[in-house]
């Protein structure tokens, strides 16, 4: 981040340093001004900046003359050379771009520095596999020339689209499949209604045929009616999506929160029209062909019983398919709900209650070297700890569950090195008091002292998982580790002074990973942790005041509770679970409507048979049992088809589940029982209506 200074209150703004041709590579064109040129890249320090559309509007009021003006970021004056159009957010959080000073890197190369991420566009005739082969050759040459730094390291080329959406693609595909299933169930219901309506119009269709209408003309008429119905439904759905998208954005993770209601553009409208047209044709053809099969003599008889029984089998087949699809969605939703419940019950390894966090940044212009940063941090911690209601305070480099853990390779001093095996752990910097604020238990040894943090002493605390994995059956206290050539020589060898409990630094659903904690109070950015005795948010104004008393230009950003951090860490699985549960509930309701419609239709078509049964002495419970059995058979047939399909879906979503078997028999039996109960409930009303059939009225009609 960088700090925007000026007449307004200082503000920490996410920034990104890029090469001069970054925007050309991605095809970004400026709304105002220009993008970077090579001269911007060669300058050190860089003196130019490009703004996002949102920052330009929010911070600078959309000033059309912003290009050429000077802004101050972290004490450095920069000239704004361009503004990008709305909707461009890459890297995802960046709001301002600076040119990366490769000229300085060439003058003072740091081979161990790997904070840059290259992005390239392949030539039209070059495949990714060919580019990867070329990259492998480059990696091999670097490893040969610089074995201490590059041995064992390679280059992995991935598509930018996959890098940005790869970990979300599985969940989005599951939701897409769920939406498709709901669409199919709804269309099957419409097809059933169309066939029921066609049965009621048998005489009308027969008259048309008698007057000379061909079967093709009748089919075209019925398909036209289906098309109008589908287009009306598509239009209503498009309008509902406009409002539904607002709710989805609120529930969605930050990756999807870039979507706005304006995303319902002509492309989406065209897709909606195409889907409406396809569903009208797909599910209107069968009813139209069935309705066009007219027996003129039977249909034109006055008072004759309608015996359109030829479509019973097709209607029952459609309902069976509805139940099968609903079972698949219900099973998937049940697995996801159970998985999410287990995820929320996972202990993160620390206590998040009553902890307030905020981000602090220390730009080199205002904080040159270690001493000013250390002085600020120690003074601030002393002030904050003295506030009423504060129990403890500390500083960490990366928040737990923040997703920014740094993986560090190391070797154990005194142990024979295996060239084919690399030891690794998450590396975290923190101050004295940080682990106490998080209430991470001390298992062995001791924690850091204030002097060790000041001197950045070569003493580390490790997690229980690191002790278990790399020091099995021995006491790690006093052992030394070598952090490798990536670390400055004076800090390569570290001594283990303590062992603490495991903290899930990456995510709640990730396995516990080894961790190394180093003392440091002189980082370029840090997160302040404050544990309070009451509501931590009430301390925010007091803490902000203490920060500004130490440095009035220090911005306070990302102010939140640690409970909120945990809540945000599970936003993706929650989003998937809520949507899949919603789709499953809609599917269950539609399946119930489908069963009700088929059973009701069957009762109407069999009124004559039911009347005769009653006249011959059948009891109401016998009639109810007959009708309920029909609904039950539909449910069992759907379950027989749906359970194998649900097992297949379970395999596809197994990577999205946490501590839940995708093949849990209890889940499928419970879902089958729910569907059976719904089928019986949906059949009960038609069954009760069947018991009230008047046999005398039926026989008179006959």
């Amino acid at each position: 981040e960088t700090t925007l200074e000026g007449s307004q209150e200082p503000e920490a703004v996410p920034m990104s340093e890029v090469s001069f041709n970054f925007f050309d590579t991605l095809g970004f064109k400026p709304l105002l001004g220009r993008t970077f040129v090579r001269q911007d890249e060669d300058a050190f320090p860089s003196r130019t900046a490009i703004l996002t559309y949102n920052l330009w509007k929010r911070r600078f009021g959309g000033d059309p003359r912003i290009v050429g003006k000077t802004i101050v970021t972290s004490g450095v004056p920069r000239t704004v050379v361009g503004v990008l159009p709305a909707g461009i957010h890459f890297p995802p959080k960046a709001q301002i771009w600076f040119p990366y000073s490769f000229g300085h890197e060439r003058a003072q190369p740091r081979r161990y520095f790997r904070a840059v991420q290259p992005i390239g566009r392949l030539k039209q005739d070059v495949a990714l596999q060919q580019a990867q082969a070329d990259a492998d050759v480059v990696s091999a040459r670097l490893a040969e020339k610089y074995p201490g730094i590059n041995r064992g390291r390679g280059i992995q080329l991935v598509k930018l689209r996959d890098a940005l959406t790869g970990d979300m693609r599985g969940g989005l595909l599951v939701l897409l499949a769920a939406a498709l299933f709901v669409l199919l169930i709804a269309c099957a219901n419409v097809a059933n209604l169309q066939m029921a309506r066609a049965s009621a119009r048998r005489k009308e269709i027969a008259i048309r045929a008698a007057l000379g209408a061909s079967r093709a003309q009748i089919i075209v008429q019925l398909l036209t009616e289906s098309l109008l119905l589908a287009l009306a439904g598509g239009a209503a759905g498009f309008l509902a999506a406009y409002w539904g998208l607002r709710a989805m954005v609120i529930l969605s993770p930050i990756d999807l929160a870039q979507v706005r209601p304006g995303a319902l553009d002509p492309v989406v409208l065209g897709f909606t029209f195409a889907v409406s047209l396809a569903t009208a044709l797909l599910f209107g053809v069968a009813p139209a062909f069935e309705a066009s099969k007219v027996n003129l003599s039977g249909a034109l008889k006055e008072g004759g019983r309608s015996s359109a029984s030829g479509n019973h089998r097709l209607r029952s087949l459609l309902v069976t398919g509805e139940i099968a699809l609903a079972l698949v969605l219900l099973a998937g939703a049940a697995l996801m709900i159970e998985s999410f419940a287990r995820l929320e019950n996972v202990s993160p390894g620390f206590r998040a209650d009553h902890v307030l966090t905020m981000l602090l940044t220390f730009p080199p212009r205002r904080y040159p070297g270690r001493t000013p940063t250390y002085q600020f941090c120690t003074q601030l911690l002393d002030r904050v700890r003295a506030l009423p209601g504060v129990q403890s305070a500390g500083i960490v480099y990366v928040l737990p569950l923040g997703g920014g853990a740094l993986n560090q390779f190391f070797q154990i001093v005194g142990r024979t090195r295996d060239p084919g095996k690399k030891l690794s752990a998450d590396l975290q910097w923190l101050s004295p008091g940080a682990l106490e604020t998080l209430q991470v238990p001390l298992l062995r040894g001791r924690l850091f002292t204030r002097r060790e943090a000041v001197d950045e002493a070569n003493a580390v605390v490790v997690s229980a998982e690191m002790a278990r994995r790399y020091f099995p059956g021995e006491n790690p206290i006093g052992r030394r580790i070598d952090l490798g050539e990536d670390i400055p020589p004076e800090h390569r060898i570290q001594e283990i002074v303590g062992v603490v409990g495991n903290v899930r630094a990456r995510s709640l659903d990730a396995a516990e990973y080894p961790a190394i904690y180093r003392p440091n109070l002189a980082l370029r950015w840090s997160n302040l942790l404050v544990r309070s005795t009451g509501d931590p948010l009430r301390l925010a104004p007091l803490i902000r005041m203490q920060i500004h008393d130490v440095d009035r230009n220090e911005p306070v950003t990302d102010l939140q509770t640690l409970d909120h951090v945990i809540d945000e860490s599970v936003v993706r699985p929650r989003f998937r679970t809520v949507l899949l549960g919603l789709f499953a509930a809609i599917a269950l309701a539609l399946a119930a409507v489908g069963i009700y419609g088929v059973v009701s239709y069957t009762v109407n078509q069999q009124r004559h048979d039911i009347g005769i049964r009653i006249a011959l002495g059948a009891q109401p419970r016998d009639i109810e049992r007959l009708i309920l059995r029909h609904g039950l058979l539909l449910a069992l047939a759907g379950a027989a088809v749906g359970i194998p399909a649900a097992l297949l879906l379970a395999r596809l979503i197994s990577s999205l589940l946490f501590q839940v078997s995708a093949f849990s028999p209890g889940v499928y039996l419970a879902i089958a029982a729910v569907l059976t109960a719904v089928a019986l409930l949906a059949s009960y009303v038609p069954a009760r209506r069947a018991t009230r059939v008047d046999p005398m009225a039926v026989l008179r009609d006959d």
Side-chain angles (χ1 to χ4, degrees):
E1 294 192 347
T2 187
T3 303
L4 269 179
E5 303 169 8
S7 58
Q8 304 180 46
E9 182 178 348
E11 177 185 358
V13 176
M15 52 80 70
S16 180
E17 292 183 306
V18 298
S19 63
F20 80 95
N21 57 351
F22 170 81
F23 300 101
D24 293 335
T25 300
L26 294 178
F28 293 163
K29 302 297 182 184
L31 176 68
L32 298 176
R34 61 171 176 85
T35 56
F36 296 133
V37 295
R38 184 175 291 277
Q39 288 77 8
D40 299 320
E41 182 181 284
D42 291 337
F44 181 80
S46 60
R47 298 292 184 178
T48 53
I50 293 177
L51 311 178
T52 62
Y53 181 87
N54 290 341
L55 181 63
W56 171 56
K57 283 286 189 180
R58 176 176 56 80
R59 181 82 182 190
F60 303 100
D63 182 4
R65 297 170 296 178
I66 188 66
V67 175
K69 289 189 175 181
T70 299
I71 61 175
V72 179
T73 63
S74 299
V76 178
R78 299 178 185 272
T79 302
V80 177
V81 298
V83 176
L84 291 189
I88 293 180
H89 302 277
F90 185 77
K93 294 183 179 181
Q95 296 185 36
I96 187 170
W97 291 272
F98 303 145
Y100 193 91
S101 298
F102 282 101
H104 175 66
E105 290 295 327
R106 286 190 288 267
Q108 299 179 358
R110 295 175 291 168
R111 300 211 58 82
Y112 59 86
F113 184 69
R114 295 186 176 88
V116 295
Q117 182 174 359
I119 297 175
R121 183 179 296 276
L122 298 181
K123 295 180 179 179
Q124 292 290 340
D125 56 344
V126 176
L128 183 63
Q129 294 80 1
Q130 180 182 346
Q132 181 63 61
D134 295 340
D136 292 339
V137 173
V138 173
S139 298
R141 290 175 178 172
L142 288 173
E144 181 180 356
K145 189 173 182 180
Y146 306 101
I149 299 295
N150 289 91
R151 179 182 295 165
R153 298 183 182 272
I155 301 173
Q156 179 65 46
L157 299 183
V158 295
K159 293 182 178 179
L160 181 59
R161 179 182 57 192
D162 295 340
L164 293 176
T165 65
D167 56 346
M168 296 189 63
R169 180 173 301 173
L172 293 178
L173 288 177
V174 169
L175 294 177
L176 178 62
L180 180 60
F181 284 3
V182 172
L183 176 64
L184 292 174
I185 294 172
C187 289
N189 266 346
V190 172
N192 262 326
L193 292 174
Q194 290 284 74
M195 283 189 285
R197 185 166 177 265
S199 296
R201 297 172 61 189
R202 289 179 68 251
K203 182 176 290 187
E204 172 199 337
I205 294 174
I207 292 175
R208 290 178 181 273
L211 293 176
S214 66
R215 186 181 181 186
Q217 290 174 318
I218 294 174
I219 290 174
V220 169
Q221 176 195 345
L222 296 177
L223 282 178
T224 302
E225 294 175 359
S226 297
L227 179 61
L228 292 175
L229 182 64
L231 291 178
F238 185 83
L239 294 177
Y242 179 84
W243 301 106
L245 188 59
R246 295 177 181 269
M248 189 184 75
V249 168
I250 294 174
L251 290 173
S252 68
I254 188 66
D255 310 74
L256 293 183
Q258 304 296 341
V259 180
R260 292 292 181 266
L264 297 179
D265 51 22
V267 175
V268 178
L269 179 61
F271 175 78
T272 304
F273 175 79
V275 170
S276 301
L277 181 62
T279 52
L281 295 176
L282 183 61
F283 290 91
V285 169
F289 270 89
E290 188 67 31
S292 65
K293 299 176 184 177
V294 181
N295 185 342
L296 294 180
S297 60
L300 293 174
K301 282 184 179 179
E302 288 291 338
R305 289 186 287 118
S306 65
S307 59
S309 59
N311 59 12
H312 288 342
R313 186 176 299 135
L314 180 58
R315 299 194 69 201
S316 297
L317 186 62
L318 287 173
V319 171
T320 299
E322 289 183 46
I323 296 173
L325 292 175
L327 188 146
V328 171
L329 286 180
L330 285 170
L335 291 172
M336 295 286 283
I337 290 172
E338 183 180 358
S339 172
F340 184 69
R342 290 178 180 269
L343 183 63
E344 285 204 312
N345 290 328
V346 169
S347 172
F350 58 89
R351 285 190 57 187
D353 60 294
H354 298 89
V355 176
L356 186 69
T357 78
M358 59 197 71
L359 180 65
L360 306 173
T361 58
F362 308 102
R365 185 82 174 187
R366 289 192 291 111
Y367 291 89
R370 287 175 39 82
T371 301
T373 307
Y374 159 73
Q375 291 175 344
F376 176 92
C377 291
T378 52
Q379 187 177 354
L380 176 62
L381 286 175
D382 289 340
R383 284 171 168 263
V384 170
R385 287 166 181 161
L387 290 174
V390 172
Q391 184 176 341
S392 61
I395 288 176
V396 297
Y397 179 57
V398 178
L399 285 177
L401 302 177
L406 175 65
N407 189 248
Q408 177 67 45
F409 292 109
F410 68 94
Q411 292 292 336
I412 300 174
V413 177
R415 185 178 295 179
T416 303
R417 301 188 180 188
D418 183 355
K421 182 180 180 181
K422 285 200 171 186
L423 312 183
S424 66
D426 286 339
L427 183 60
Q428 169 75 290
W429 290 273
L430 41 74
S431 74
L435 292 173
E436 295 92 328
T437 302
L438 293 172
Q439 295 192 358
V440 179
L442 175 64
L443 305 180
R444 284 183 178 180
R446 63 175 177 83
L447 299 178
F448 305 122
T449 64
R450 183 164 183 165
R451 174 49 56 189
E452 286 173 329
V454 172
D455 298 336
E456 196 180 351
N458 294 334
V460 297
V461 171
V462 300
S463 66
E465 176 61 21
M466 180 163 173
R468 184 197 67 81
R469 185 178 301 189
Y470 299 129
F471 300 94
E474 59 179 300
N475 186 358
I477 304 299
R479 298 298 300 271
R480 295 185 301 163
I481 59 176
D482 182 353
L483 299 182
E485 297 183 22
D486 287 6
I487 303 297
E490 63 272 20
H491 294 302
R492 278 187 56 174
I493 307 300
Q494 301 280 334
E495 180 182 347
I496 299 175
V497 299
V499 179
V500 296
N502 294 319
V503 173
R504 294 182 182 267
R506 299 183 174 193
S507 65
L508 287 177
D509 58 352
E512 292 178 337
Y513 198 74
I516 300 172
Y517 301 98
R518 292 186 59 194
N520 200 331
L521 276 174
L523 300 168
R524 286 306 171 198
W525 63 84
S526 301
N527 290 275
L528 177 65
L529 301 174
V530 181
R531 178 171 291 278
S532 67
T533 56
D535 182 2
L537 289 175
R538 292 186 177 180
L539 289 174
L542 294 176
I543 297 174
R544 190 190 299 270
M545 187 182 303
Q546 299 302 319
I547 293 173
H548 288 164
D549 283 347
V550 179
D551 182 355
R552 65 180 183 86
N553 290 320
E554 177 63 32
V556 179
T557 57
D558 291 350
L559 194 149
Q560 58 188 328
T561 64
L562 206 51
D563 282 325
H564 179 71
V565 174
I566 294 180
D567 191 59
E568 284 295 302
S569 72
V570 295
V571 68
R572 285 188 185 180
R574 180 191 296 115
F575 178 68
R576 292 192 298 258
T577 302
V578 169
L579 284 188
L580 191 57
L582 178 62
F583 288 147
I586 295 174
L588 182 63
L590 290 175
V593 170
I595 295 172
Y596 173 83
V598 166
V599 174
S600 281
Y601 179 79
T602 301
V603 169
N604 289 334
Q605 293 298 313
Q606 294 181 352
R607 288 182 71 255
H608 179 265
D609 296 339
I610 293 172
I612 293 177
R613 288 174 183 270
I614 294 175
L616 293 176
Q619 298 298 313
R621 64 176 178 273
D622 298 323
I623 302 300
E624 286 183 0
R625 190 180 300 115
L626 177 68
I627 303 304
L628 290 175
R629 184 172 61 190
H630 180 52
L632 181 61
L633 289 175
L634 289 174
L636 293 178
V641 177
I643 288 179
L647 290 172
L648 179 61
L649 173 70
R651 292 190 61 183
L652 297 177
I653 68 171
S654 59
S655 62
L656 304 177
L657 302 178
F658 177 72
Q659 294 182 354
V660 173
S661 172
F663 306 102
S664 176
V667 171
Y668 300 101
L669 291 177
I671 296 302
V674 168
L675 276 174
T676 301
V678 169
L680 293 176
L681 186 63
S683 305
Y684 179 73
V685 174
R688 291 291 298 170
R689 188 167 65 245
T691 62
R692 294 193 291 268
V693 171
D694 184 356
M696 297 303 296
V698 170
L699 293 174
R700 274 198 306 271
D701 290 342
D702 192 40

